Amino acid sequence: MQSFTEENYLKAIYTLSTAENQSVSTNAIAEKLTTKASSVTDMLKKLADKKLIHYEKYQGAELTRKGKKIAINIIRKHRLWEVFLVNHLNFKWDEVHDVAEELEHINSEKLIDSLDRFLNFPQFDPHGDPIPDKEGKVYHHKEISVKDLRVGESGIIVGVKEHHPDFLRYLENAELLLGTNIKVLKIFEWDNSIKIKCDKKQELTISEKVAGNLYIKKMLKK
Amino acid sequence: MQSFTEENYLKAIYTLSTAENQSVSTNAIAEKLTTKASSVTDMLKKLADKKLIHYEKYQGAELTRKGKKIAINIIRKHRLWEVFLVNHLNFKWDEVHDVAEELEHINSEKLIDSLDRFLNFPQFDPHGDPIPDKEGKVYHHKEISVKDLRVGESGIIVGVKEHHPDFLRYLENAELLLGTNIKVLKIFEWDNSIKIKCDKKQELTISEKVAGNLYIKKMLKK
DNA sequence: AAAACAATTTAGATAAGCCTAAAAATATAT
DNA sequence: ATATATTTTTAGGCTTATCTAAATTGTTTT
């Protein structure tokens, strides 16, 4: 069994290692966990001793199979708790992160399996991120954003890249929530802002930054 | 804010201090937390510095108002989580303790208030222990046990003194659950075992030890 | 009231996780 | 290829919470 801190390191390494077989740098981990590089080095040695990461001095870290399994399980727990908080305890999607960050470290397989069943085996959390199943299988989004659409194309919002509360509250205010159907009407070359139509209702213009952080599922034209 | 460890010390002191204004000994705390007396002394100094307990060398510890408030809140959280686990996640009453012991340290007022509402403001946990309200008010059981009944008297089981899983499973097996109506038929002087009738159904004999650990609400005779 | 026993505290260590400052290795630029 | 800059590691400390062993205080017994 590992400590909260170790679990947080494993999770950080997992989320930072986008590509397979690519090691994560000491500094990147330090920044992610807002700690110092020297502290990270200490922990990397410890995790390597426990066979949770592959680590060579100056070469960064990569999760072993065992380490990856633990990291994915933490993420599974985090996202299941988020679903519980939003669907049953009336939390808003911009309020769940910190509490879920604590709850994800509770250790009980029975608890998580029961929670999963109670929630009806959800596949996505409130931000559209996939929830790994009990075996650790993760369905990865294709990660197409509104930015990737051309004029006339449409899609359904399925997730957000950025999780910052301010961004989430902006979306809430603009009624750009998961499930919303949008169509690109116009792209302004000047700043790459995009005029869209939502669910046959209102039209609005979103910035390039917003567009890049809104994942969508492309709709085929009829 | 205090650490998990500090919270556990406060909780231990609270549960050990039965009488008001009576201090708890270092050894008692050490035994409760399965740690050494010297470790307890260290922590008592720390808690005293933080004004969470009154502590004089060699005189034991007593919670301050502030310390008591924290302890009661931990107990509130523990018991609310137990209700959630039993009522919604299919845990048995003998399975909840360890998980609740972890969950009780999650820090979020919104979480606990929402959970309380979700559970419909329960007043007792699955073992019949009272759940303190948001302001810290605790309804104390009168703590009459089956042992205090005389032949012919009856009552409803409202709680258990002993929480050991083995005892809880014994009760489950004997169908002596909370809410069960029992009537004392006979007391065997030999070993003080008691023959009882449950809910107009089966008769059974329980040991003195069992009787002493079963809290009841006495029924007035009609 | 002194001796014996029990409870508590102090002293000195240890492990985890963090820090700063300095040294070493790696990467980049000229 | 050498100098410079960046990244990473090492060395040495700090804090929290624990421990063992020894010293001290409190309580009981005779």
PDB file of all heavy atoms in Angstrom, chain D residues 7-19:
ATOM      1  P    DT D   7      14.976  24.239 -17.991  1.00  0.00           P
ATOM      2  OP1  DT D   7      13.836  23.997 -18.884  1.00  0.00           O
ATOM      3  OP2  DT D   7      14.884  25.145 -16.824  1.00  0.00           O
ATOM      4  O5'  DT D   7      15.503  22.835 -17.450  1.00  0.00           O
ATOM      5  C5'  DT D   7      16.027  21.881 -18.372  1.00  0.00           C
ATOM      6  C4'  DT D   7      16.629  20.739 -17.597  1.00  0.00           C
ATOM      7  O4'  DT D   7      17.878  21.159 -16.992  1.00  0.00           O
ATOM      8  C3'  DT D   7      15.761  20.223 -16.452  1.00  0.00           C
ATOM      9  O3'  DT D   7      15.546  18.841 -16.699  1.00  0.00           O
ATOM     10  C2'  DT D   7      16.561  20.505 -15.190  1.00  0.00           C
ATOM     11  C1'  DT D   7      17.993  20.582 -15.723  1.00  0.00           C
ATOM     12  N1   DT D   7      18.953  21.438 -14.950  1.00  0.00           N
ATOM     13  C2   DT D   7      20.159  20.890 -14.538  1.00  0.00           C
ATOM     14  O2   DT D   7      20.479  19.734 -14.744  1.00  0.00           O
ATOM     15  N3   DT D   7      20.985  21.759 -13.863  1.00  0.00           N
ATOM     16  C4   DT D   7      20.733  23.080 -13.573  1.00  0.00           C
ATOM     17  O4   DT D   7      21.570  23.754 -12.961  1.00  0.00           O
ATOM     18  C5   DT D   7      19.458  23.585 -14.021  1.00  0.00           C
ATOM     19  C7   DT D   7      19.087  25.010 -13.745  1.00  0.00           C
ATOM     20  C6   DT D   7      18.631  22.756 -14.686  1.00  0.00           C
ATOM     21  P    DT D   8      14.659  17.911 -15.781  1.00  0.00           P
ATOM     22  OP1  DT D   8      14.206  16.777 -16.604  1.00  0.00           O
ATOM     23  OP2  DT D   8      13.702  18.768 -15.046  1.00  0.00           O
ATOM     24  O5'  DT D   8      15.734  17.371 -14.739  1.00  0.00           O
ATOM     25  C5'  DT D   8      16.816  16.563 -15.223  1.00  0.00           C
ATOM     26  C4'  DT D   8      17.755  16.279 -14.085  1.00  0.00           C
ATOM     27  O4'  DT D   8      18.383  17.504 -13.647  1.00  0.00           O
ATOM     28  C3'  DT D   8      17.080  15.706 -12.841  1.00  0.00           C
ATOM     29  O3'  DT D   8      17.537  14.379 -12.700  1.00  0.00           O
ATOM     30  C2'  DT D   8      17.501  16.624 -11.700  1.00  0.00           C
ATOM     31  C1'  DT D   8      18.696  17.358 -12.289  1.00  0.00           C
ATOM     32  N1   DT D   8      18.950  18.732 -11.757  1.00  0.00           N
ATOM     33  C2   DT D   8      20.176  19.006 -11.186  1.00  0.00           C
ATOM     34  O2   DT D   8      21.071  18.187 -11.075  1.00  0.00           O
ATOM     35  N3   DT D   8      20.332  20.298 -10.732  1.00  0.00           N
ATOM     36  C4   DT D   8      19.390  21.308 -10.795  1.00  0.00           C
ATOM     37  O4   DT D   8      19.652  22.420 -10.359  1.00  0.00           O
ATOM     38  C5   DT D   8      18.129  20.946 -11.406  1.00  0.00           C
ATOM     39  C7   DT D   8      17.045  21.980 -11.520  1.00  0.00           C
ATOM     40  C6   DT D   8      17.966  19.694 -11.854  1.00  0.00           C
ATOM     41  P    DT D   9      17.142  13.449 -11.475  1.00  0.00           P
ATOM     42  OP1  DT D   9      17.182  12.062 -11.935  1.00  0.00           O
ATOM     43  OP2  DT D   9      15.936  14.008 -10.852  1.00  0.00           O
ATOM     44  O5'  DT D   9      18.384  13.684 -10.493  1.00  0.00           O
ATOM     45  C5'  DT D   9      19.698  13.382 -10.955  1.00  0.00           C
ATOM     46  C4'  DT D   9      20.729  13.800  -9.923  1.00  0.00           C
ATOM     47  O4'  DT D   9      20.646  15.227  -9.715  1.00  0.00           O
ATOM     48  C3'  DT D   9      20.526  13.164  -8.544  1.00  0.00           C
ATOM     49  O3'  DT D   9      21.716  12.467  -8.211  1.00  0.00           O
ATOM     50  C2'  DT D   9      20.258  14.344  -7.606  1.00  0.00           C
ATOM     51  C1'  DT D   9      20.875  15.515  -8.358  1.00  0.00           C
ATOM     52  N1   DT D   9      20.257  16.838  -8.095  1.00  0.00           N
ATOM     53  C2   DT D   9      21.019  17.849  -7.555  1.00  0.00           C
ATOM     54  O2   DT D   9      22.188  17.709  -7.255  1.00  0.00           O
ATOM     55  N3   DT D   9      20.363  19.038  -7.375  1.00  0.00           N
ATOM     56  C4   DT D   9      19.040  19.309  -7.672  1.00  0.00           C
ATOM     57  O4   DT D   9      18.562  20.412  -7.466  1.00  0.00           O
ATOM     58  C5   DT D   9      18.295  18.203  -8.221  1.00  0.00           C
ATOM     59  C7   DT D   9      16.857  18.376  -8.571  1.00  0.00           C
ATOM     60  C6   DT D   9      18.922  17.031  -8.411  1.00  0.00           C
ATOM     61  P    DT D  10      21.813  11.621  -6.866  1.00  0.00           P
ATOM     62  OP1  DT D  10      22.709  10.481  -7.125  1.00  0.00           O
ATOM     63  OP2  DT D  10      20.449  11.430  -6.357  1.00  0.00           O
ATOM     64  O5'  DT D  10      22.568  12.630  -5.891  1.00  0.00           O
ATOM     65  C5'  DT D  10      23.888  13.053  -6.226  1.00  0.00           C
ATOM     66  C4'  DT D  10      24.390  14.040  -5.191  1.00  0.00           C
ATOM     67  O4'  DT D  10      23.580  15.237  -5.217  1.00  0.00           O
ATOM     68  C3'  DT D  10      24.345  13.531  -3.744  1.00  0.00           C
ATOM     69  O3'  DT D  10      25.616  13.813  -3.166  1.00  0.00           O
ATOM     70  C2'  DT D  10      23.237  14.360  -3.093  1.00  0.00           C
ATOM     71  C1'  DT D  10      23.304  15.642  -3.899  1.00  0.00           C
ATOM     72  N1   DT D  10      22.077  16.463  -3.990  1.00  0.00           N
ATOM     73  C2   DT D  10      22.147  17.791  -3.670  1.00  0.00           C
ATOM     74  O2   DT D  10      23.175  18.339  -3.287  1.00  0.00           O
ATOM     75  N3   DT D  10      20.967  18.488  -3.813  1.00  0.00           N
ATOM     76  C4   DT D  10      19.760  17.990  -4.234  1.00  0.00           C
ATOM     77  O4   DT D  10      18.780  18.723  -4.324  1.00  0.00           O
ATOM     78  C5   DT D  10      19.746  16.588  -4.546  1.00  0.00           C
ATOM     79  C7   DT D  10      18.476  15.947  -4.997  1.00  0.00           C
ATOM     80  C6   DT D  10      20.884  15.889  -4.415  1.00  0.00           C
ATOM     81  P    DA D  11      26.038  13.088  -1.833  1.00  0.00           P
ATOM     82  OP1  DA D  11      27.392  12.556  -2.088  1.00  0.00           O
ATOM     83  OP2  DA D  11      24.973  12.167  -1.375  1.00  0.00           O
ATOM     84  O5'  DA D  11      26.124  14.305  -0.811  1.00  0.00           O
ATOM     85  C5'  DA D  11      26.496  15.612  -1.277  1.00  0.00           C
ATOM     86  C4'  DA D  11      26.239  16.624  -0.176  1.00  0.00           C
ATOM     87  O4'  DA D  11      24.995  17.327  -0.451  1.00  0.00           O
ATOM     88  C3'  DA D  11      26.081  16.042   1.235  1.00  0.00           C
ATOM     89  O3'  DA D  11      26.782  16.888   2.140  1.00  0.00           O
ATOM     90  C2'  DA D  11      24.590  16.049   1.468  1.00  0.00           C
ATOM     91  C1'  DA D  11      24.165  17.289   0.681  1.00  0.00           C
ATOM     92  N9   DA D  11      22.790  17.272   0.192  1.00  0.00           N
ATOM     93  C8   DA D  11      22.085  16.205  -0.299  1.00  0.00           C
ATOM     94  N7   DA D  11      20.868  16.499  -0.684  1.00  0.00           N
ATOM     95  C5   DA D  11      20.763  17.858  -0.428  1.00  0.00           C
ATOM     96  C6   DA D  11      19.715  18.780  -0.624  1.00  0.00           C
ATOM     97  N6   DA D  11      18.526  18.443  -1.134  1.00  0.00           N
ATOM     98  N1   DA D  11      19.937  20.062  -0.268  1.00  0.00           N
ATOM     99  C2   DA D  11      21.115  20.389   0.237  1.00  0.00           C
ATOM    100  N3   DA D  11      22.185  19.618   0.473  1.00  0.00           N
ATOM    101  C4   DA D  11      21.938  18.345   0.104  1.00  0.00           C
ATOM    102  P    DG D  12      26.957  16.493   3.676  1.00  0.00           P
ATOM    103  OP1  DG D  12      28.316  16.920   4.068  1.00  0.00           O
ATOM    104  OP2  DG D  12      26.508  15.100   3.874  1.00  0.00           O
ATOM    105  O5'  DG D  12      25.918  17.477   4.390  1.00  0.00           O
ATOM    106  C5'  DG D  12      25.912  18.867   4.049  1.00  0.00           C
ATOM    107  C4'  DG D  12      24.726  19.522   4.716  1.00  0.00           C
ATOM    108  O4'  DG D  12      23.535  19.323   3.916  1.00  0.00           O
ATOM    109  C3'  DG D  12      24.401  18.934   6.105  1.00  0.00           C
ATOM    110  O3'  DG D  12      24.063  20.008   6.956  1.00  0.00           O
ATOM    111  C2'  DG D  12      23.225  18.018   5.813  1.00  0.00           C
ATOM    112  C1'  DG D  12      22.505  18.839   4.753  1.00  0.00           C
ATOM    113  N9   DG D  12      21.521  18.115   3.946  1.00  0.00           N
ATOM    114  C8   DG D  12      21.517  16.784   3.565  1.00  0.00           C
ATOM    115  N7   DG D  12      20.461  16.444   2.873  1.00  0.00           N
ATOM    116  C5   DG D  12      19.721  17.616   2.792  1.00  0.00           C
ATOM    117  C6   DG D  12      18.470  17.874   2.173  1.00  0.00           C
ATOM    118  O6   DG D  12      17.761  17.101   1.542  1.00  0.00           O
ATOM    119  N1   DG D  12      18.077  19.202   2.340  1.00  0.00           N
ATOM    120  C2   DG D  12      18.805  20.153   3.023  1.00  0.00           C
ATOM    121  N2   DG D  12      18.264  21.365   3.094  1.00  0.00           N
ATOM    122  N3   DG D  12      19.957  19.921   3.604  1.00  0.00           N
ATOM    123  C4   DG D  12      20.356  18.646   3.450  1.00  0.00           C
ATOM    124  P    DG D  13      23.830  19.834   8.532  1.00  0.00           P
ATOM    125  OP1  DG D  13      24.922  20.527   9.218  1.00  0.00           O
ATOM    126  OP2  DG D  13      23.515  18.407   8.841  1.00  0.00           O
ATOM    127  O5'  DG D  13      22.489  20.675   8.725  1.00  0.00           O
ATOM    128  C5'  DG D  13      21.511  20.577   7.706  1.00  0.00           C
ATOM    129  C4'  DG D  13      20.409  21.556   7.914  1.00  0.00           C
ATOM    130  O4'  DG D  13      19.447  21.295   6.896  1.00  0.00           O
ATOM    131  C3'  DG D  13      19.647  21.361   9.229  1.00  0.00           C
ATOM    132  O3'  DG D  13      18.945  22.548   9.583  1.00  0.00           O
ATOM    133  C2'  DG D  13      18.701  20.246   8.889  1.00  0.00           C
ATOM    134  C1'  DG D  13      18.354  20.552   7.425  1.00  0.00           C
ATOM    135  N9   DG D  13      18.158  19.320   6.652  1.00  0.00           N
ATOM    136  C8   DG D  13      18.978  18.216   6.576  1.00  0.00           C
ATOM    137  N7   DG D  13      18.481  17.256   5.830  1.00  0.00           N
ATOM    138  C5   DG D  13      17.264  17.777   5.398  1.00  0.00           C
ATOM    139  C6   DG D  13      16.276  17.200   4.566  1.00  0.00           C
ATOM    140  O6   DG D  13      16.267  16.091   4.040  1.00  0.00           O
ATOM    141  N1   DG D  13      15.191  18.066   4.383  1.00  0.00           N
ATOM    142  C2   DG D  13      15.089  19.323   4.922  1.00  0.00           C
ATOM    143  N2   DG D  13      13.997  20.007   4.638  1.00  0.00           N
ATOM    144  N3   DG D  13      16.017  19.873   5.695  1.00  0.00           N
ATOM    145  C4   DG D  13      17.066  19.036   5.893  1.00  0.00           C
ATOM    146  P    DC D  14      18.143  22.620  10.959  1.00  0.00           P
ATOM    147  OP1  DC D  14      18.333  23.999  11.436  1.00  0.00           O
ATOM    148  OP2  DC D  14      18.492  21.454  11.823  1.00  0.00           O
ATOM    149  O5'  DC D  14      16.617  22.426  10.517  1.00  0.00           O
ATOM    150  C5'  DC D  14      15.980  23.387   9.678  1.00  0.00           C
ATOM    151  C4'  DC D  14      14.522  22.989   9.473  1.00  0.00           C
ATOM    152  O4'  DC D  14      14.461  21.858   8.575  1.00  0.00           O
ATOM    153  C3'  DC D  14      13.807  22.568  10.753  1.00  0.00           C
ATOM    154  O3'  DC D  14      12.629  23.331  10.926  1.00  0.00           O
ATOM    155  C2'  DC D  14      13.489  21.096  10.565  1.00  0.00           C
ATOM    156  C1'  DC D  14      13.556  20.899   9.070  1.00  0.00           C
ATOM    157  N1   DC D  14      14.067  19.550   8.693  1.00  0.00           N
ATOM    158  C2   DC D  14      13.252  18.707   7.940  1.00  0.00           C
ATOM    159  O2   DC D  14      12.136  19.100   7.597  1.00  0.00           O
ATOM    160  N3   DC D  14      13.712  17.481   7.604  1.00  0.00           N
ATOM    161  C4   DC D  14      14.926  17.090   7.991  1.00  0.00           C
ATOM    162  N4   DC D  14      15.333  15.870   7.626  1.00  0.00           N
ATOM    163  C5   DC D  14      15.775  17.939   8.761  1.00  0.00           C
ATOM    164  C6   DC D  14      15.309  19.147   9.093  1.00  0.00           C
ATOM    165  P    DT D  15      11.726  23.119  12.240  1.00  0.00           P
ATOM    166  OP1  DT D  15      11.085  24.411  12.532  1.00  0.00           O
ATOM    167  OP2  DT D  15      12.527  22.415  13.281  1.00  0.00           O
ATOM    168  O5'  DT D  15      10.582  22.108  11.749  1.00  0.00           O
ATOM    169  C5'  DT D  15       9.735  22.465  10.646  1.00  0.00           C
ATOM    170  C4'  DT D  15       8.663  21.399  10.495  1.00  0.00           C
ATOM    171  O4'  DT D  15       9.251  20.193   9.928  1.00  0.00           O
ATOM    172  C3'  DT D  15       8.000  20.980  11.810  1.00  0.00           C
ATOM    173  O3'  DT D  15       6.609  20.881  11.605  1.00  0.00           O
ATOM    174  C2'  DT D  15       8.645  19.641  12.134  1.00  0.00           C
ATOM    175  C1'  DT D  15       8.928  19.085  10.734  1.00  0.00           C
ATOM    176  N1   DT D  15      10.056  18.124  10.630  1.00  0.00           N
ATOM    177  C2   DT D  15       9.894  16.993   9.857  1.00  0.00           C
ATOM    178  O2   DT D  15       8.862  16.730   9.258  1.00  0.00           O
ATOM    179  N3   DT D  15      10.988  16.163   9.809  1.00  0.00           N
ATOM    180  C4   DT D  15      12.195  16.340  10.452  1.00  0.00           C
ATOM    181  O4   DT D  15      13.095  15.518  10.318  1.00  0.00           O
ATOM    182  C5   DT D  15      12.300  17.550  11.249  1.00  0.00           C
ATOM    183  C7   DT D  15      13.576  17.825  11.991  1.00  0.00           C
ATOM    184  C6   DT D  15      11.245  18.363  11.299  1.00  0.00           C
ATOM    185  P    DT D  16       5.614  20.658  12.826  1.00  0.00           P
ATOM    186  OP1  DT D  16       4.460  21.557  12.663  1.00  0.00           O
ATOM    187  OP2  DT D  16       6.419  20.671  14.072  1.00  0.00           O
ATOM    188  O5'  DT D  16       5.117  19.171  12.576  1.00  0.00           O
ATOM    189  C5'  DT D  16       4.563  18.822  11.308  1.00  0.00           C
ATOM    190  C4'  DT D  16       4.296  17.326  11.287  1.00  0.00           C
ATOM    191  O4'  DT D  16       5.540  16.611  11.127  1.00  0.00           O
ATOM    192  C3'  DT D  16       3.660  16.789  12.579  1.00  0.00           C
ATOM    193  O3'  DT D  16       2.551  15.980  12.213  1.00  0.00           O
ATOM    194  C2'  DT D  16       4.775  16.007  13.252  1.00  0.00           C
ATOM    195  C1'  DT D  16       5.600  15.553  12.044  1.00  0.00           C
ATOM    196  N1   DT D  16       7.045  15.280  12.281  1.00  0.00           N
ATOM    197  C2   DT D  16       7.615  14.199  11.645  1.00  0.00           C
ATOM    198  O2   DT D  16       6.993  13.442  10.927  1.00  0.00           O
ATOM    199  N3   DT D  16       8.969  14.021  11.891  1.00  0.00           N
ATOM    200  C4   DT D  16       9.767  14.817  12.683  1.00  0.00           C
ATOM    201  O4   DT D  16      10.948  14.550  12.815  1.00  0.00           O
ATOM    202  C5   DT D  16       9.107  15.940  13.318  1.00  0.00           C
ATOM    203  C7   DT D  16       9.906  16.851  14.199  1.00  0.00           C
ATOM    204  C6   DT D  16       7.797  16.117  13.085  1.00  0.00           C
ATOM    205  P    DA D  17       1.449  15.553  13.283  1.00  0.00           P
ATOM    206  OP1  DA D  17       0.137  15.474  12.614  1.00  0.00           O
ATOM    207  OP2  DA D  17       1.619  16.387  14.484  1.00  0.00           O
ATOM    208  O5'  DA D  17       1.915  14.077  13.616  1.00  0.00           O
ATOM    209  C5'  DA D  17       1.986  13.115  12.564  1.00  0.00           C
ATOM    210  C4'  DA D  17       2.763  11.898  13.049  1.00  0.00           C
ATOM    211  O4'  DA D  17       4.167  12.226  13.133  1.00  0.00           O
ATOM    212  C3'  DA D  17       2.371  11.386  14.447  1.00  0.00           C
ATOM    213  O3'  DA D  17       2.038  10.024  14.355  1.00  0.00           O
ATOM    214  C2'  DA D  17       3.623  11.595  15.275  1.00  0.00           C
ATOM    215  C1'  DA D  17       4.702  11.524  14.221  1.00  0.00           C
ATOM    216  N9   DA D  17       5.961  12.136  14.620  1.00  0.00           N
ATOM    217  C8   DA D  17       6.153  13.301  15.317  1.00  0.00           C
ATOM    218  N7   DA D  17       7.411  13.583  15.554  1.00  0.00           N
ATOM    219  C5   DA D  17       8.095  12.527  14.977  1.00  0.00           C
ATOM    220  C6   DA D  17       9.457  12.227  14.871  1.00  0.00           C
ATOM    221  N6   DA D  17      10.409  12.997  15.387  1.00  0.00           N
ATOM    222  N1   DA D  17       9.800  11.089  14.220  1.00  0.00           N
ATOM    223  C2   DA D  17       8.852  10.320  13.708  1.00  0.00           C
ATOM    224  N3   DA D  17       7.534  10.494  13.735  1.00  0.00           N
ATOM    225  C4   DA D  17       7.212  11.631  14.393  1.00  0.00           C
ATOM    226  P    DT D  18       1.375   9.263  15.581  1.00  0.00           P
ATOM    227  OP1  DT D  18       0.293   8.460  15.001  1.00  0.00           O
ATOM    228  OP2  DT D  18       1.106  10.221  16.667  1.00  0.00           O
ATOM    229  O5'  DT D  18       2.553   8.310  16.100  1.00  0.00           O
ATOM    230  C5'  DT D  18       2.916   7.176  15.368  1.00  0.00           C
ATOM    231  C4'  DT D  18       4.397   6.883  15.488  1.00  0.00           C
ATOM    232  O4'  DT D  18       5.206   8.076  15.418  1.00  0.00           O
ATOM    233  C3'  DT D  18       4.881   6.282  16.789  1.00  0.00           C
ATOM    234  O3'  DT D  18       4.477   4.946  16.934  1.00  0.00           O
ATOM    235  C2'  DT D  18       6.387   6.392  16.591  1.00  0.00           C
ATOM    236  C1'  DT D  18       6.519   7.694  15.780  1.00  0.00           C
ATOM    237  N1   DT D  18       7.180   8.796  16.540  1.00  0.00           N
ATOM    238  C2   DT D  18       8.547   8.782  16.643  1.00  0.00           C
ATOM    239  O2   DT D  18       9.242   7.902  16.162  1.00  0.00           O
ATOM    240  N3   DT D  18       9.088   9.832  17.332  1.00  0.00           N
ATOM    241  C4   DT D  18       8.401  10.870  17.925  1.00  0.00           C
ATOM    242  O4   DT D  18       8.991  11.762  18.521  1.00  0.00           O
ATOM    243  C5   DT D  18       6.966  10.816  17.796  1.00  0.00           C
ATOM    244  C7   DT D  18       6.110  11.901  18.407  1.00  0.00           C
ATOM    245  C6   DT D  18       6.429   9.795  17.112  1.00  0.00           C
ATOM    246  P    DC D  19       4.431   4.223  18.299  1.00  0.00           P
ATOM    247  OP1  DC D  19       3.648   2.988  18.135  1.00  0.00           O
ATOM    248  OP2  DC D  19       4.040   5.227  19.312  1.00  0.00           O
ATOM    249  O5'  DC D  19       5.969   3.840  18.573  1.00  0.00           O
ATOM    250  C5'  DC D  19       6.684   3.068  17.602  1.00  0.00           C
ATOM    251  C4'  DC D  19       8.168   3.082  17.941  1.00  0.00           C
ATOM    252  O4'  DC D  19       8.640   4.445  17.848  1.00  0.00           O
ATOM    253  C3'  DC D  19       8.459   2.673  19.381  1.00  0.00           C
ATOM    254  O3'  DC D  19       8.738   1.285  19.434  1.00  0.00           O
ATOM    255  C2'  DC D  19       9.686   3.494  19.740  1.00  0.00           C
ATOM    256  C1'  DC D  19       9.701   4.640  18.763  1.00  0.00           C
ATOM    257  N1   DC D  19       9.516   5.989  19.402  1.00  0.00           N
ATOM    258  C2   DC D  19      10.650   6.706  19.786  1.00  0.00           C
ATOM    259  O2   DC D  19      11.766   6.186  19.610  1.00  0.00           O
ATOM    260  N3   DC D  19      10.503   7.934  20.347  1.00  0.00           N
ATOM    261  C4   DC D  19       9.278   8.439  20.515  1.00  0.00           C
ATOM    262  N4   DC D  19       9.190   9.653  21.062  1.00  0.00           N
ATOM    263  C5   DC D  19       8.103   7.723  20.128  1.00  0.00           C
ATOM    264  C6   DC D  19       8.268   6.508  19.591  1.00  0.00           C
TER     265       DC D  19
END
